[in-house]
Amino acid sequence: MTQEDKELLLVDLCARLPYGVKCINIRWPRDGHVEISNINTNSQKVQIFEDWCDINDCKPYLRPMSSMTEEEKTELWELLRKLGMTADVKRLDWLNKKMFDYRGLIPKGLALEALEGMYNAK
């Protein structure tokens, strides 16, 4: 993984941390997926369970943009219509909360496609 990829993944994970992003440690996959509980950007490590793992070994589960439901599309458009020009930050928060891969991490091999129902729409 290049340094640029590591930085992209860390930025993405930090934005998703409050929403309970699930990941797998590919070096020691325990019981499937786990939530990231902490991120140390200086050492490029993420904490899952009580252990820290290198960012090279962590892959988050994200939803492809193509998996957006009609209901979610309507919700997003209503949000954008209501907020107008101030919508950029709120739009990114909404996409992070719903775990959509708007940065293209899945095609780059930096993330895995989330299983159906892994993130219950709220």
Side-chain angles (χ1 to χ4, degrees):
M1 183 183 305
T2 67
Q3 185 62 31
E4 184 178 298
D5 286 345
K6 287 179 189 180
E7 289 172 9
L8 177 63
L9 185 54
L10 283 169
V11 165
D12 191 78
L13 289 174
C14 286
R16 295 175 194 281
L17 190 58
Y19 305 115
V21 62
K22 293 175 175 58
C23 71
I24 190 165
N25 182 325
I26 59 175
R27 192 162 308 268
W28 41 268
R30 291 185 183 181
D31 300 323
H33 58 270
V34 294
E35 282 190 24
I36 295 173
S37 58
N38 197 0
I39 298 175
N40 185 326
T41 55
N42 291 329
S43 65
Q44 298 183 336
K45 293 188 180 292
V46 297
Q47 187 172 28
I48 52 181
F49 296 113
E50 297 297 318
D51 299 315
W52 288 87
C53 69
D54 190 275
I55 193 68
N56 292 308
D57 300 328
C58 178
K59 287 197 178 193
Y61 288 101
L62 301 177
R63 297 174 60 198
M65 292 296 289
S66 62
S67 72
M68 190 180 294
T69 65
E70 289 301 318
E71 185 178 272
E72 288 171 325
K73 288 177 188 176
T74 301
E75 183 182 339
L76 178 58
W77 282 115
E78 286 298 314
L79 175 70
L80 296 175
R81 186 183 60 73
K82 182 172 63 173
L83 295 174
M85 296 301 288
T86 63
D88 283 348
V89 172
K90 293 289 186 183
R91 176 178 52 91
L92 292 177
D93 280 345
W94 187 90
L95 290 168
N96 283 327
K97 182 177 183 180
K98 301 288 185 171
M99 299 300 164
F100 284 110
D101 179 24
Y102 60 91
R103 289 187 170 107
L105 299 180
I106 296 170
K108 289 181 179 184
L110 301 175
L112 301 172
E113 189 170 326
L115 305 171
E116 189 173 333
M118 179 178 274
Y119 296 110
N120 295 330
K122 295 176 184 172

Short mmCIF file of all heavy atoms in Angstrom, two decimals, residues 20-62:
data_model
loop_
_atom_site.label_atom_id
_atom_site.label_comp_id
_atom_site.label_asym_id
_atom_site.label_seq_id
_atom_site.Cartn_x
_atom_site.Cartn_y
_atom_site.Cartn_z
N GLY A 20 -19.59 4.08 13.61
CA GLY A 20 -19.45 2.64 13.82
C GLY A 20 -19.01 1.87 12.59
O GLY A 20 -19.60 0.84 12.26
N VAL A 21 -17.99 2.34 11.91
CA VAL A 21 -17.50 1.65 10.72
C VAL A 21 -16.97 0.27 11.10
O VAL A 21 -16.29 0.10 12.11
CB VAL A 21 -16.43 2.48 9.97
CG1 VAL A 21 -15.21 2.73 10.81
CG2 VAL A 21 -16.07 1.84 8.64
N LYS A 22 -17.33 -0.72 10.30
CA LYS A 22 -16.89 -2.09 10.54
C LYS A 22 -15.73 -2.41 9.61
O LYS A 22 -15.66 -1.92 8.49
CB LYS A 22 -18.04 -3.06 10.30
CG LYS A 22 -19.16 -2.90 11.31
CD LYS A 22 -20.33 -3.80 10.95
CE LYS A 22 -21.42 -3.76 12.00
NZ LYS A 22 -21.98 -2.48 12.26
N CYS A 23 -14.82 -3.23 10.11
CA CYS A 23 -13.67 -3.59 9.29
C CYS A 23 -13.26 -5.02 9.59
O CYS A 23 -13.82 -5.67 10.47
CB CYS A 23 -12.50 -2.64 9.55
SG CYS A 23 -11.74 -2.86 11.16
N ILE A 24 -12.28 -5.48 8.85
CA ILE A 24 -11.68 -6.77 9.13
C ILE A 24 -10.17 -6.58 9.13
O ILE A 24 -9.64 -5.79 8.35
CB ILE A 24 -12.11 -7.84 8.09
CG1 ILE A 24 -11.66 -9.22 8.53
CG2 ILE A 24 -11.60 -7.49 6.70
CD1 ILE A 24 -12.33 -10.35 7.77
N ASN A 25 -9.51 -7.23 10.05
CA ASN A 25 -8.05 -7.24 10.06
C ASN A 25 -7.65 -8.45 9.23
O ASN A 25 -7.86 -9.59 9.65
CB ASN A 25 -7.53 -7.35 11.48
CG ASN A 25 -6.02 -7.33 11.55
OD1 ASN A 25 -5.34 -7.85 10.68
ND2 ASN A 25 -5.50 -6.74 12.60
N ILE A 26 -7.10 -8.22 8.06
CA ILE A 26 -6.82 -9.33 7.15
C ILE A 26 -5.69 -10.23 7.64
O ILE A 26 -5.55 -11.34 7.18
CB ILE A 26 -6.53 -8.82 5.72
CG1 ILE A 26 -5.35 -7.86 5.71
CG2 ILE A 26 -7.77 -8.19 5.12
CD1 ILE A 26 -4.92 -7.41 4.33
N ARG A 27 -4.89 -9.74 8.60
CA ARG A 27 -3.82 -10.57 9.12
C ARG A 27 -4.32 -11.59 10.15
O ARG A 27 -3.85 -12.70 10.22
CB ARG A 27 -2.71 -9.71 9.74
CG ARG A 27 -1.47 -10.52 10.01
CD ARG A 27 -0.22 -9.72 10.22
NE ARG A 27 0.09 -8.74 9.21
CZ ARG A 27 0.86 -8.95 8.15
NH1 ARG A 27 1.35 -10.14 7.93
NH2 ARG A 27 1.15 -7.98 7.33
N TRP A 28 -5.29 -11.19 10.96
CA TRP A 28 -5.88 -12.12 11.92
C TRP A 28 -7.39 -11.91 12.01
O TRP A 28 -7.90 -11.38 12.98
CB TRP A 28 -5.22 -12.05 13.30
CG TRP A 28 -4.89 -10.70 13.83
CD1 TRP A 28 -3.71 -10.03 13.69
CD2 TRP A 28 -5.73 -9.82 14.59
NE1 TRP A 28 -3.78 -8.80 14.31
CE2 TRP A 28 -5.00 -8.65 14.87
CE3 TRP A 28 -7.04 -9.90 15.06
CZ2 TRP A 28 -5.52 -7.58 15.58
CZ3 TRP A 28 -7.57 -8.83 15.78
CH2 TRP A 28 -6.80 -7.69 16.03
N PRO A 29 -8.12 -12.35 11.00
CA PRO A 29 -9.57 -12.18 11.02
C PRO A 29 -10.21 -13.09 12.07
O PRO A 29 -10.21 -14.29 11.93
CB PRO A 29 -10.00 -12.57 9.61
CG PRO A 29 -8.92 -13.44 9.10
CD PRO A 29 -7.66 -13.02 9.80
N ARG A 30 -10.70 -12.49 13.11
CA ARG A 30 -11.29 -13.28 14.21
C ARG A 30 -12.69 -13.74 13.84
O ARG A 30 -12.85 -14.69 13.10
CB ARG A 30 -11.32 -12.45 15.49
CG ARG A 30 -9.94 -12.20 16.04
CD ARG A 30 -10.02 -11.49 17.35
NE ARG A 30 -8.68 -11.19 17.82
CZ ARG A 30 -8.44 -10.59 18.95
NH1 ARG A 30 -9.41 -10.23 19.76
NH2 ARG A 30 -7.20 -10.34 19.32
N ASP A 31 -13.67 -13.09 14.36
CA ASP A 31 -15.05 -13.51 14.15
C ASP A 31 -15.73 -12.65 13.09
O ASP A 31 -16.77 -12.06 13.33
CB ASP A 31 -15.83 -13.41 15.47
CG ASP A 31 -15.23 -14.30 16.53
OD1 ASP A 31 -14.78 -15.40 16.18
OD2 ASP A 31 -15.22 -13.90 17.70
N GLY A 32 -15.14 -12.55 11.94
CA GLY A 32 -15.74 -11.74 10.89
C GLY A 32 -15.38 -10.28 11.03
O GLY A 32 -14.22 -9.94 11.14
N HIS A 33 -16.38 -9.42 11.07
CA HIS A 33 -16.11 -7.99 11.10
C HIS A 33 -16.22 -7.43 12.51
O HIS A 33 -16.92 -7.96 13.35
CB HIS A 33 -17.08 -7.25 10.18
CG HIS A 33 -18.51 -7.46 10.53
ND1 HIS A 33 -19.25 -8.49 9.99
CD2 HIS A 33 -19.34 -6.80 11.36
CE1 HIS A 33 -20.47 -8.44 10.49
NE2 HIS A 33 -20.55 -7.44 11.31
N VAL A 34 -15.48 -6.36 12.74
CA VAL A 34 -15.45 -5.69 14.04
C VAL A 34 -15.50 -4.19 13.82
O VAL A 34 -15.19 -3.71 12.73
CB VAL A 34 -14.18 -6.06 14.84
CG1 VAL A 34 -14.18 -7.52 15.23
CG2 VAL A 34 -12.93 -5.71 14.07
N GLU A 35 -15.87 -3.45 14.84
CA GLU A 35 -15.88 -2.00 14.73
C GLU A 35 -14.54 -1.44 15.14
O GLU A 35 -13.88 -1.93 16.05
CB GLU A 35 -16.97 -1.39 15.62
CG GLU A 35 -18.33 -1.51 15.03
CD GLU A 35 -19.38 -0.71 15.78
OE1 GLU A 35 -19.03 0.27 16.48
OE2 GLU A 35 -20.55 -1.08 15.67
N ILE A 36 -14.13 -0.40 14.45
CA ILE A 36 -12.92 0.33 14.82
C ILE A 36 -13.27 1.20 16.01
O ILE A 36 -14.27 1.91 16.00
CB ILE A 36 -12.41 1.19 13.66
CG1 ILE A 36 -11.99 0.29 12.50
CG2 ILE A 36 -11.27 2.08 14.09
CD1 ILE A 36 -11.63 1.05 11.25
N SER A 37 -12.47 1.15 17.06
CA SER A 37 -12.77 1.94 18.25
C SER A 37 -11.85 3.14 18.43
O SER A 37 -12.14 4.02 19.22
CB SER A 37 -12.71 1.05 19.50
OG SER A 37 -11.44 0.46 19.62
N ASN A 38 -10.74 3.17 17.71
CA ASN A 38 -9.79 4.27 17.87
C ASN A 38 -8.84 4.26 16.68
O ASN A 38 -8.62 3.22 16.07
CB ASN A 38 -9.00 4.09 19.17
CG ASN A 38 -8.32 5.36 19.62
OD1 ASN A 38 -8.41 6.40 18.98
ND2 ASN A 38 -7.60 5.28 20.73
N ILE A 39 -8.30 5.41 16.37
CA ILE A 39 -7.33 5.53 15.27
C ILE A 39 -6.17 6.38 15.74
O ILE A 39 -6.37 7.44 16.31
CB ILE A 39 -7.97 6.17 14.02
CG1 ILE A 39 -9.11 5.30 13.49
CG2 ILE A 39 -6.94 6.41 12.94
CD1 ILE A 39 -9.88 5.92 12.34
N ASN A 40 -4.96 5.89 15.51
CA ASN A 40 -3.76 6.66 15.79
C ASN A 40 -3.14 7.02 14.45
O ASN A 40 -2.50 6.19 13.80
CB ASN A 40 -2.78 5.85 16.64
CG ASN A 40 -1.57 6.66 17.04
OD1 ASN A 40 -1.10 7.51 16.29
ND2 ASN A 40 -1.04 6.39 18.22
N THR A 41 -3.35 8.25 14.01
CA THR A 41 -2.87 8.65 12.69
C THR A 41 -1.35 8.81 12.65
O THR A 41 -0.75 8.68 11.60
CB THR A 41 -3.53 9.96 12.23
OG1 THR A 41 -3.32 10.96 13.21
CG2 THR A 41 -5.01 9.77 12.01
N ASN A 42 -0.72 9.07 13.79
CA ASN A 42 0.74 9.21 13.81
C ASN A 42 1.44 7.89 13.51
O ASN A 42 2.39 7.84 12.75
CB ASN A 42 1.22 9.75 15.16
CG ASN A 42 0.80 11.18 15.37
OD1 ASN A 42 0.67 11.94 14.43
ND2 ASN A 42 0.57 11.55 16.61
N SER A 43 0.95 6.82 14.12
CA SER A 43 1.57 5.51 13.88
C SER A 43 0.85 4.73 12.79
O SER A 43 1.26 3.63 12.45
CB SER A 43 1.58 4.69 15.17
OG SER A 43 0.26 4.38 15.57
N GLN A 44 -0.23 5.29 12.25
CA GLN A 44 -1.04 4.66 11.21
C GLN A 44 -1.54 3.29 11.67
O GLN A 44 -1.38 2.28 10.99
CB GLN A 44 -0.27 4.57 9.90
CG GLN A 44 0.09 5.93 9.35
CD GLN A 44 0.78 5.89 8.01
OE1 GLN A 44 1.39 4.91 7.64
NE2 GLN A 44 0.67 6.99 7.28
N LYS A 45 -2.14 3.31 12.84
CA LYS A 45 -2.72 2.09 13.40
C LYS A 45 -4.17 2.34 13.77
O LYS A 45 -4.56 3.46 14.08
CB LYS A 45 -1.94 1.62 14.63
CG LYS A 45 -0.53 1.16 14.30
CD LYS A 45 0.13 0.53 15.49
CE LYS A 45 1.53 0.05 15.18
NZ LYS A 45 1.58 -1.06 14.27
N VAL A 46 -4.96 1.27 13.73
CA VAL A 46 -6.35 1.33 14.17
C VAL A 46 -6.54 0.34 15.30
O VAL A 46 -5.85 -0.68 15.37
CB VAL A 46 -7.34 1.03 13.01
CG1 VAL A 46 -7.23 2.06 11.91
CG2 VAL A 46 -7.15 -0.36 12.46
N GLN A 47 -7.45 0.66 16.20
CA GLN A 47 -7.70 -0.21 17.34
C GLN A 47 -9.03 -0.93 17.14
O GLN A 47 -10.06 -0.32 16.91
CB GLN A 47 -7.74 0.59 18.63
CG GLN A 47 -7.83 -0.29 19.86
CD GLN A 47 -7.68 0.52 21.15
OE1 GLN A 47 -8.01 1.69 21.20
NE2 GLN A 47 -7.18 -0.12 22.18
N ILE A 48 -8.95 -2.25 17.22
CA ILE A 48 -10.14 -3.07 17.22
C ILE A 48 -10.01 -4.05 18.38
O ILE A 48 -8.92 -4.52 18.68
CB ILE A 48 -10.35 -3.81 15.88
CG1 ILE A 48 -9.11 -4.58 15.45
CG2 ILE A 48 -10.74 -2.84 14.78
CD1 ILE A 48 -9.24 -5.30 14.12
N PHE A 49 -11.10 -4.30 19.04
CA PHE A 49 -11.06 -5.00 20.32
C PHE A 49 -10.12 -4.23 21.24
O PHE A 49 -10.19 -3.03 21.34
CB PHE A 49 -10.61 -6.47 20.17
CG PHE A 49 -11.55 -7.32 19.37
CD1 PHE A 49 -11.17 -7.82 18.14
CD2 PHE A 49 -12.82 -7.62 19.84
CE1 PHE A 49 -12.03 -8.61 17.41
CE2 PHE A 49 -13.69 -8.41 19.12
CZ PHE A 49 -13.28 -8.90 17.89
N GLU A 50 -9.21 -4.91 21.86
CA GLU A 50 -8.21 -4.25 22.72
C GLU A 50 -6.87 -4.15 22.02
O GLU A 50 -5.90 -3.69 22.59
CB GLU A 50 -8.04 -5.04 24.03
CG GLU A 50 -9.29 -5.11 24.87
CD GLU A 50 -9.74 -3.74 25.35
OE1 GLU A 50 -8.89 -2.92 25.75
OE2 GLU A 50 -10.95 -3.48 25.30
N ASP A 51 -6.80 -4.60 20.78
CA ASP A 51 -5.54 -4.66 20.05
C ASP A 51 -5.44 -3.57 18.99
O ASP A 51 -6.43 -3.09 18.48
CB ASP A 51 -5.41 -6.03 19.35
CG ASP A 51 -5.41 -7.18 20.33
OD1 ASP A 51 -4.72 -7.08 21.35
OD2 ASP A 51 -6.12 -8.17 20.08
N TRP A 52 -4.21 -3.22 18.69
CA TRP A 52 -3.93 -2.27 17.61
C TRP A 52 -3.42 -3.04 16.41
O TRP A 52 -2.68 -4.00 16.55
CB TRP A 52 -2.86 -1.27 18.05
CG TRP A 52 -3.37 -0.29 19.06
CD1 TRP A 52 -3.39 -0.45 20.41
CD2 TRP A 52 -3.94 0.99 18.80
NE1 TRP A 52 -3.93 0.65 21.01
CE2 TRP A 52 -4.28 1.56 20.04
CE3 TRP A 52 -4.19 1.71 17.64
CZ2 TRP A 52 -4.86 2.81 20.16
CZ3 TRP A 52 -4.76 2.97 17.76
CH2 TRP A 52 -5.09 3.50 19.00
N CYS A 53 -3.81 -2.62 15.22
CA CYS A 53 -3.28 -3.26 14.03
C CYS A 53 -2.83 -2.18 13.04
O CYS A 53 -3.31 -1.05 13.08
CB CYS A 53 -4.28 -4.21 13.39
SG CYS A 53 -5.71 -3.45 12.64
N ASP A 54 -1.92 -2.55 12.19
CA ASP A 54 -1.39 -1.65 11.19
C ASP A 54 -2.45 -1.36 10.14
O ASP A 54 -3.25 -2.23 9.79
CB ASP A 54 -0.17 -2.31 10.54
CG ASP A 54 0.60 -1.35 9.67
OD1 ASP A 54 0.21 -1.21 8.50
OD2 ASP A 54 1.56 -0.74 10.16
N ILE A 55 -2.45 -0.16 9.61
CA ILE A 55 -3.43 0.24 8.60
C ILE A 55 -3.33 -0.65 7.36
O ILE A 55 -4.32 -0.86 6.66
CB ILE A 55 -3.29 1.74 8.25
CG1 ILE A 55 -4.50 2.23 7.46
CG2 ILE A 55 -2.01 2.00 7.48
CD1 ILE A 55 -5.77 2.27 8.24
N ASN A 56 -2.14 -1.21 7.11
CA ASN A 56 -1.97 -2.12 5.98
C ASN A 56 -2.82 -3.38 6.11
O ASN A 56 -3.11 -4.04 5.12
CB ASN A 56 -0.50 -2.54 5.83
CG ASN A 56 0.38 -1.41 5.40
OD1 ASN A 56 0.11 -0.73 4.42
ND2 ASN A 56 1.44 -1.18 6.15
N ASP A 57 -3.17 -3.74 7.34
CA ASP A 57 -3.91 -4.98 7.59
C ASP A 57 -5.40 -4.76 7.80
O ASP A 57 -6.13 -5.71 8.04
CB ASP A 57 -3.34 -5.68 8.84
CG ASP A 57 -1.88 -6.02 8.69
OD1 ASP A 57 -1.45 -6.29 7.55
OD2 ASP A 57 -1.16 -6.01 9.70
N CYS A 58 -5.85 -3.53 7.71
CA CYS A 58 -7.25 -3.21 8.01
C CYS A 58 -7.99 -2.85 6.72
O CYS A 58 -7.52 -2.04 5.93
CB CYS A 58 -7.29 -2.02 8.97
SG CYS A 58 -8.95 -1.50 9.37
N LYS A 59 -9.15 -3.48 6.53
CA LYS A 59 -10.00 -3.13 5.39
C LYS A 59 -11.41 -2.88 5.91
O LYS A 59 -12.03 -3.76 6.50
CB LYS A 59 -10.03 -4.25 4.36
CG LYS A 59 -8.74 -4.36 3.59
CD LYS A 59 -8.92 -5.15 2.34
CE LYS A 59 -7.60 -5.17 1.59
NZ LYS A 59 -7.75 -5.65 0.25
N PRO A 60 -11.92 -1.66 5.70
CA PRO A 60 -13.29 -1.38 6.13
C PRO A 60 -14.30 -1.97 5.14
O PRO A 60 -13.98 -2.19 3.96
CB PRO A 60 -13.35 0.15 6.10
CG PRO A 60 -12.35 0.54 5.07
CD PRO A 60 -11.26 -0.49 5.15
N TYR A 61 -15.48 -2.23 5.64
CA TYR A 61 -16.60 -2.64 4.80
C TYR A 61 -17.38 -1.38 4.44
O TYR A 61 -17.84 -0.67 5.33
CB TYR A 61 -17.52 -3.60 5.54
CG TYR A 61 -16.94 -4.98 5.76
CD1 TYR A 61 -16.40 -5.34 6.97
CD2 TYR A 61 -16.96 -5.92 4.73
CE1 TYR A 61 -15.88 -6.61 7.18
CE2 TYR A 61 -16.44 -7.19 4.94
CZ TYR A 61 -15.91 -7.53 6.16
OH TYR A 61 -15.40 -8.78 6.36
N LEU A 62 -17.51 -1.12 3.15
CA LEU A 62 -18.24 0.05 2.69
C LEU A 62 -19.29 -0.36 1.66
O LEU A 62 -19.20 -1.43 1.05
CB LEU A 62 -17.29 1.08 2.07
CG LEU A 62 -16.20 1.61 2.99
CD1 LEU A 62 -15.29 2.56 2.22
CD2 LEU A 62 -16.79 2.29 4.21
#
